[in-house]
């Protein structure tokens, strides 16, 4: 199974994926590149910026990727 397939399957199963989840679950270190590849193949993926505090109390942000609302990809 390719990294793109793993990412797409994860989004379908769990609704979204973040960089930390991609690395932890699948060893994918460049999630943004895999999302780019999927978009090039016509998969409708949305990016949502999540803002929170890290374990040190510092403000941070990261991307969470979803399938676009109302869209399906097979």
């Amino acid at each position: 199974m390719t990294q793109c397939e793993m990412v797409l399957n994860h989004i379908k199963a769990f609704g979204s994926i973040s960089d930390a989840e991609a690395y932890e679950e699948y060893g994918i270190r460049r999630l943004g590149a895999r999302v780019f590849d999927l978009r090039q193949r016509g998969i409708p993926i949305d990016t949502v910026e999540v803002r929170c505090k890290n374990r040190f109390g510092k403000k941070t942000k990261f991307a969470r990727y979803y399938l676009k609302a109302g869209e399906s990809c097979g």
Side-chain angles (χ1 to χ4, degrees):
M1 181 179 298
T2 68
Q3 288 186 348
C4 287
E5 291 169 334
M6 287 186 270
V7 169
L8 186 56
N9 287 342
H10 184 97
I11 293 172
K12 287 179 178 179
F14 300 102
S16 67
I17 193 166
S18 70
D19 189 60
E21 292 165 342
Y23 180 65
E24 219 173 88
E25 297 293 322
Y26 311 107
I28 298 172
R29 297 187 58 108
R30 296 186 62 223
L31 178 60
R34 300 300 68 84
V35 169
F36 176 85
D37 293 342
L38 288 167
R39 287 176 175 150
Q40 291 294 104
R41 296 177 190 173
I43 306 298
I45 297 179
D46 261 342
T47 304
V48 175
E49 186 178 271
V50 178
R51 293 175 182 264
C52 59
K53 290 186 179 182
N54 65 17
R55 64 183 179 192
F56 305 109
K58 302 287 183 181
K59 291 181 184 178
T60 189
K61 59 185 175 181
F62 64 92
R64 182 165 286 284
Y65 299 97
Y66 299 84
L67 285 177
K68 288 188 178 181
E71 301 278 344
S72 68
C73 56

